Amino acid sequence: MLTVRDLTVGYNGVPIVHGVSLELVAGATACVVGPNGCGKSTLLKGLAGLIKPMGGTVELTGRGDITTMSTAERAAGGMGYVPQIDDVFKPLTVEENIVIGGYALPRKRVAINKERVLELFPRLRTMLKRHAGVLSGGERKMLAMARVLMLEPTVLLLDEPTAGLTEEMATRLLDEQLAELKASGIAVLLVEQRANLAMASADWAYVLASGRVRRSGSAAELRADPSFSHIFLGGTEETFTDNAADTTQNEGEVRCS
Ligand SMILES: Nc1ncnc2c1ncn2[C@@H]1O[C@H](COP(=O)(O)OP(=O)(O)O)[C@@H](O)[C@H]1O
Ligand SMILES: [Mg+2]
């Protein structure tokens, strides 16, 4: 559904994500895991069109090359994006937020899709009249997802959807709700700090360090790889990078903290 080739994105002319290539397949989840500050959110912002790429291409099945499209055009073309920091209209109610998510659809479809997202997130149904601003972090994240799902995306980019959720709610989100979205044919790109949890539910995984893909492969296989678990069990990125095949560093590259 999505083919990313050699994407370089950053801020103010300074690249943060260097030459990343990845592919998303319909009905499958790929996760991007990596240490704090390594460029996961920057990568998603580049894919969603919030920041202009400095190089590379992004192709969306059915739409062709979308590299220069705006965020709104991408959304209309089937790309759903839920940012890391909450993306809800705080003064509006939960219900209003959901309905606004379907702004581009006929009224009948809005009603159908609203029912669909409430079935996926039954917790939201109990708080329809509540203002989004008083929701917990985890509830807001669910609302942001529900809002994005209203437009029936074919590709869903999720930046740390389990942040603010209890372990139990996070597991449910990844194992049940995401599984349901996958079953409906959506291609999901999941960015997570909870690497083990994400990789347990994902089909494919990309390990990002210093803005580069250091490893990619079947999530189950990577999860079992000792050099991978090392970094998330207290190993430093340096050690991890040393173990990886590509140890080159560009001059002036922004390193992870
Ligand atoms: N708006 C911005 N302007 C400049 N630098 C930024 C901005 N947002 C993030 N960065 C920098 O980009 C790097 C990667 O950040 P980010 O993509 O948020 O990492 P992650 O999501 O993996 O934690 C960090 O060094 C961060 O300070
Ligand atoms: Mg981030």
Side-chain angles (χ1 to χ4, degrees):
M1 291 308 300
L2 192 74
T3 307
V4 180
R5 286 196 194 95
D6 236 4
L7 191 73
T8 296
V9 276
Y11 308 95
N12 308 315
V14 180
I16 299 284
V17 169
H18 306 262
V20 164
S21 297
L22 55 87
E23 254 178 56
L24 295 188
V25 177
T29 303
C31 65
V32 175
V33 296
N36 205 8
C38 73
K40 301 183 297 297
S41 295
T42 303
L43 171 64
L44 284 206
K45 283 185 234 172
L47 296 181
L50 289 177
I51 46 179
K52 277 204 183 112
M54 299 158 81
T57 56
V58 184
E59 249 177 66
L60 185 61
T61 299
R63 295 279 153 167
D65 191 329
I66 60 161
T67 316
T68 57
M69 271 191 192
S70 70
T71 303
E73 284 170 324
R74 289 175 207 224
M79 182 182 270
Y81 165 60
V82 181
Q84 183 171 358
I85 39 173
D86 38 64
D87 177 35
V88 296
F89 298 106
K90 289 181 188 168
L92 301 185
T93 66
V94 167
E95 188 168 27
E96 286 163 342
N97 266 280
I98 292 174
V99 169
I100 276 180
Y103 65 91
L105 302 176
R107 203 175 282 184
K108 217 170 167 184
R109 280 264 287 291
V110 172
I112 293 169
N113 290 358
K114 181 179 147 196
E115 199 46 43
R116 212 167 40 95
V117 299
L118 289 176
E119 261 164 41
L120 191 63
F121 298 109
R123 194 182 173 89
L124 293 178
R125 200 191 288 277
T126 65
M127 44 186 77
L128 283 176
K129 301 296 172 204
R130 216 173 280 178
H131 284 110
V134 303
L135 301 185
S136 74
E139 288 162 352
R140 250 183 249 174
K141 212 78 208 196
M142 281 186 210
L143 179 57
M145 276 182 74
R147 197 164 73 78
V148 163
L149 287 170
M150 284 295 289
L151 273 190
E152 306 168 23
T154 52
V155 168
L156 188 58
L157 312 175
L158 299 175
D159 199 344
E160 303 211 13
T162 71
L165 298 186
T166 62
E167 196 74 8
E168 192 194 330
M169 283 166 81
T171 307
R172 213 169 85 84
L173 179 74
L174 297 179
D175 289 353
E176 294 173 27
Q177 283 140 336
L178 276 195
E180 213 170 309
L181 293 175
K182 259 170 64 168
S184 73
I186 296 180
V188 181
L189 184 62
L190 178 67
V191 160
E192 268 295 338
Q193 274 229 286
R194 282 166 145 149
N196 265 319
L197 208 59
M199 288 174 83
S201 82
D203 302 292
W204 201 259
Y206 296 89
V207 182
L208 201 66
S210 297
R212 293 172 199 277
V213 173
R214 301 293 177 181
R215 293 284 180 87
S216 64
S218 128
E221 275 171 30
L222 270 180
R223 199 164 163 242
D225 185 329
S227 71
F228 165 76
S229 48
H230 177 73
I231 190 173
F232 287 101
L233 296 173
T236 63
E237 186 194 330
E238 220 50 62
T239 320
F240 180 68
T241 305
D242 287 347
N243 288 341
D246 176 8
T247 56
T248 53
Q249 292 292 329
N250 276 359
E251 218 184 316
E253 180 178 347
V254 179
R255 299 300 311 265
C256 295
S257 50

